[in-house]
Amino acid sequence: MTIQTPNEDVRRAATERLGALATPPGALGRLGELAVWMTACQGEVPPRPVENVRLVIFAGDHGVAQHGVSAFPPAITGAMVRTFLSGRAGVSALAKAHGVQVRVLDLGVDEEFEDLDAATREALTRHKIRRASGAIHLEDALTAEETARALAAGAAVAREEIAAGAQLLISGDMGIGNTTPAAAMVAAGLGLPASEVTGRGTGIGEDAMRTKTDVITTALARAGERADDPIETLAALGSADLAATTGYLLEAARNGVPVLLDGLMSVACALTADRIEPGAAKWYAAGHRSTEPAQSLALEKLGLEPLLDLDLRLGEGSGAVAAVPVVRSAVALLRDVALLSELAPGEPA
């Protein structure tokens, strides 16, 4: 399926409507720009209220987490998956506050969740690719076959969410050590050294920061020219959860459903999706700016300006979910504010 751009005729009509609102010219600032984008994505003027917003959290473990790149042990990944399932995570609270549907999927967590009931476990693990992805400085994260399966899994999940009525999609993440492969993916996509993309993730100190930078440097050298190909990048430097997220974002763009991006993992996958099928990023907006340098670099390449800048580094999709009210506000303004031409002359007092 070829990716189309958001409807240009509708974009022009939305821009005209924005200029005709009973507000001073330019008074709505970036809210107006966001409203025009959402309207072009929907394909009709005025836009429909954004009621059905759906978040999918792609979870997976990463071999590099065993090599000193994170402040937390890998076992936290599975524990947090259970917290999502119980509705008690940070993003769960935000999603409840803003009416966002949440789904969590195990693509590569290094356990089998045998403590869960059969129905919950099946729903969680039905798209699982493997237990933990390879340590990217020592070996490929995935085989070619695993990479293809993960991309296909993410695409299938996007289709399921769209079939459930999604008007706006969000991708979330959970995986200790995941900022390391995500930063490597950004470095590969932009041709940058590890020193420019490496961030502190969960809050690592100086020693771990040096280790993390060295791991990414070694991984990029090991990948070599394969990093020039986006799918080879996923296999060499990514992970099951990141490849699935990339497939999810690609399928959203193919189906003309807008996506609100979250932090580094989401944006690294968006950059990779746009490398695979140029033009995919036209369907993406940036929910927030994280504290990770690789995220800002990738957003600049994609031409996206974040809606929020709150120094968030929680992940999980939390920054994008926090930005959902901004999207809804933008659409409401373009939809419900009177046109200047509709204003009746006021009666004298």
Side-chain angles (χ1 to χ4, degrees):
M1 185 186 298
T2 303
I3 292 177
Q4 306 294 324
T5 60
N7 192 301
E8 285 299 325
D9 291 337
V10 171
R11 184 190 296 275
R12 284 190 289 271
T15 301
E16 290 176 7
R17 181 179 177 87
L18 178 65
L21 294 180
T23 59
L28 298 182
R30 290 182 57 210
L31 279 176
E33 296 171 6
L34 179 61
V36 168
W37 174 74
M38 276 297 297
T39 304
C41 290
Q42 289 187 359
E44 61 182 82
V45 182
R48 301 183 301 279
V50 181
E51 297 172 343
N52 195 326
V53 182
R54 307 182 77 86
L55 162 69
V56 179
I57 301 169
F58 295 90
D61 278 308
H62 305 266
V64 291
Q66 304 283 356
H67 296 271
V69 300
S70 177
F72 293 93
I76 294 295
T77 301
M80 282 305 304
V81 166
R82 291 176 176 85
T83 307
F84 295 133
L85 291 172
S86 69
R88 298 296 302 278
V91 77
S92 309
L94 290 168
K96 183 177 180 180
H98 302 314
V100 175
Q101 298 296 312
V102 181
R103 179 181 180 188
V104 59
L105 295 174
D106 168 14
L107 274 295
V109 181
D110 194 18
E111 62 169 288
E112 299 298 336
F113 295 100
E114 293 178 350
D115 57 306
L116 300 180
D117 66 79
T120 300
R121 183 170 178 266
E122 195 280 329
L124 174 67
T125 63
R126 69 178 58 167
H127 295 292
K128 187 160 188 158
I129 303 301
R130 58 183 282 173
R131 288 185 58 158
S133 300
I136 59 173
H137 62 311
L138 303 176
E139 60 182 331
D140 280 1
L142 304 169
T143 66
E145 185 266 344
E146 288 168 342
T147 304
R149 283 172 51 212
L151 284 164
V157 170
R159 290 192 296 272
E160 291 166 4
E161 298 302 308
I162 293 167
Q167 296 171 282
L168 181 66
L169 289 173
I170 300 172
S171 70
D173 63 272
M174 174 44 58
I176 297 302
N178 61 8
T179 60
T180 299
M185 287 166 56
V186 172
L190 301 183
L192 296 174
S195 59
E196 294 189 31
V197 300
T198 307
R200 295 193 180 275
T202 49
I204 57 175
E206 290 302 323
D207 289 346
M209 185 71 169
R210 284 190 291 271
T211 298
K212 185 175 180 179
T213 304
D214 289 345
V215 164
I216 295 173
T217 297
T218 302
L220 291 169
R222 190 191 60 76
E225 294 182 356
R226 295 173 63 201
D228 296 335
D229 180 280
I231 294 178
E232 289 282 351
T233 295
L234 287 170
L237 301 172
S239 64
D241 48 306
L242 294 174
T245 302
T246 302
Y248 174 85
L249 297 177
L250 274 172
E251 193 67 14
R254 291 173 184 140
N255 284 273
V257 176
V259 177
L260 195 56
L261 301 175
D262 187 49
L264 172 57
M265 277 56 68
S266 181
V267 172
C269 293
L271 177 68
T272 306
D274 199 65
R275 292 177 67 200
I276 294 170
E277 295 191 30
K282 298 292 185 183
W283 294 94
Y284 310 150
H288 83 115
R289 186 182 304 282
S290 81
T291 59
E292 289 292 304
Q295 193 234 22
S296 290
L297 291 165
L299 287 176
E300 182 178 0
K301 174 65 175 179
L302 294 171
L304 300 177
E305 185 69 23
L307 300 179
L308 303 177
D309 190 346
L310 303 173
D311 291 332
L312 279 172
R313 55 180 178 84
L314 177 60
E316 308 176 352
S318 57
V321 173
V324 166
V326 180
V327 176
R328 288 180 170 145
S329 297
V331 168
L333 286 165
L334 191 59
R335 177 183 175 85
D336 298 331
V337 171
L339 300 178
L340 191 60
S341 62
E342 296 171 340
L343 299 187
E347 296 294 329

